[in-house]
Amino acid sequence: GYEGVHDYTVAQSAIQGLQDLARGDKPWMLYCGFVGPHDPFIIPERFATMYDPADIELPASFEDTLEDKPRIYQRMRQMYWGQLTPDEVRQSLAHYWGYCTMLDAMLGEVLDALEATGQMDDTVVIFTSDHGEYCGAHGLYCKGVPAFREGYNIPLAVRWPNGLEGSGREVDAFTCQSDMAQTFRELAGCEVPSGMPGRSLVPLLSGSRPEDWRDEMHFELNGVELYYSQRVCLTDKWKYVYNGFDFDELYD
């Protein structure tokens, strides 16, 4: 039911590329980059109606008026999203869940193709994303200026039966997308150029955590449709947000 969706073409291209690579005698790497779940959120009816909005709870922060937040946060909610009723927000979340389920099915086709090659247990599979989606949290949607967790905390799931230390583990450590390149290079036995950003995740995959692993993260936003100056410093306890266009924020 999703053959007409753009990401289906991506999945099928990945499957074909996977089959071609797996037939060779060299190590290989494949990137399958879905666009969704992303606006404009157009999906087949089957997935759009898969979940009952009445069963969905609103985000815990949905009632946040943002009165104690920078003015641009309030502007985003009041001008764009404040027109939605709670029931309409539930409908949107049901739709979003359906979108995610559709992508799960597409990814399942890719993993089925990998299993068919006989290389499933020896292949490192990493599932991640580039940013989050507010999905009604704080009354907001998409991404943008607000420095809330929903925008920055992205998925990172790793599957590697013959390489991971144990299964079903959750690792509570600061990681970022710049770690990917170093991770892949170490797994492939390549040297890491000096000055390359990020750190290899291989120690975390192996069940250990270096004593000098990062204990803080830094983010920046220079604007979306308009220019802004925002810098974020995050530790395991505190988050400080410098807003060049308004007052700053500090969260425990």
Side-chain angles (χ1 to χ4, degrees), residues 68-127:
D68 60 343
K69 306 296 189 295
R71 181 62 179 162
I72 187 62
Y73 292 20
Q74 300 172 37
R75 180 184 176 93
M76 291 180 66
R77 170 160 189 167
Q78 295 168 7
M79 289 190 64
Y80 296 114
W81 317 119
Q83 60 187 302
L84 299 177
T85 67
D87 284 342
E88 288 174 326
V89 172
R90 291 186 180 91
Q91 292 172 19
S92 73
L93 295 179
H95 189 97
Y96 187 81
W97 289 7
Y99 201 154
C100 293
T101 301
M102 181 186 72
L103 291 179
D104 283 346
M106 292 183 185
L107 179 59
E109 290 196 33
V110 177
L111 294 178
D112 287 344
L114 172 60
E115 187 169 23
T117 68
Q119 300 180 15
M120 185 74 153
D121 290 347
D122 292 317
T123 301
V124 184
V125 178
I126 297 181
F127 177 83

Side-chain angles (χ1 to χ4, degrees), residues 11-68:
Q12 293 304 304
S13 297
I15 290 172
Q16 183 59 57
L18 171 64
Q19 294 170 343
D20 294 340
L21 291 168
R23 282 194 291 265
D25 57 359
K26 297 180 179 179
W28 53 267
M29 178 176 176
L30 176 71
Y31 171 73
C32 178
F34 294 133
V35 174
H38 202 285
D39 60 87
F41 304 113
I42 299 174
I43 58 176
E45 186 71 12
R46 167 194 169 194
F47 294 97
T49 59
M50 181 173 287
Y51 296 98
D52 185 352
D55 295 333
I56 295 179
E57 294 185 7
L58 294 174
S61 61
F62 176 72
E63 298 295 340
D64 185 2
T65 63
L66 303 178
E67 292 179 357
D68 60 343

Side-chain angles (χ1 to χ4, degrees), residues 17 26 40 46 75 83 87 98 113 116-117 142 149 153 172 174 183 190 193 208 213 222 229 234:
K26 297 180 179 179
R46 167 194 169 194
R75 180 184 176 93
Q83 60 187 302
D87 284 342
T117 68
C142 300
R149 177 179 295 272
N153 195 31
D172 184 12
F174 283 131
T183 301
C190 302
S208 63
W213 192 260
N222 296 317
S229 295
L234 176 70

Side-chain angles (χ1 to χ4, degrees), residues 65-81 138 140 143-148 221 223-230 241-247 249:
T65 63
L66 303 178
E67 292 179 357
D68 60 343
K69 306 296 189 295
R71 181 62 179 162
I72 187 62
Y73 292 20
Q74 300 172 37
R75 180 184 176 93
M76 291 180 66
R77 170 160 189 167
Q78 295 168 7
M79 289 190 64
Y80 296 114
W81 317 119
H138 302 278
L140 302 170
K143 55 182 179 180
V145 179
F148 298 129
L221 175 73
V224 187
E225 283 76 19
L226 301 173
Y227 287 116
Y228 300 99
S229 295
Q230 185 182 73
V241 184
Y242 165 79
N243 293 303
F245 51 86
D246 210 326
F247 58 80
E249 303 165 79

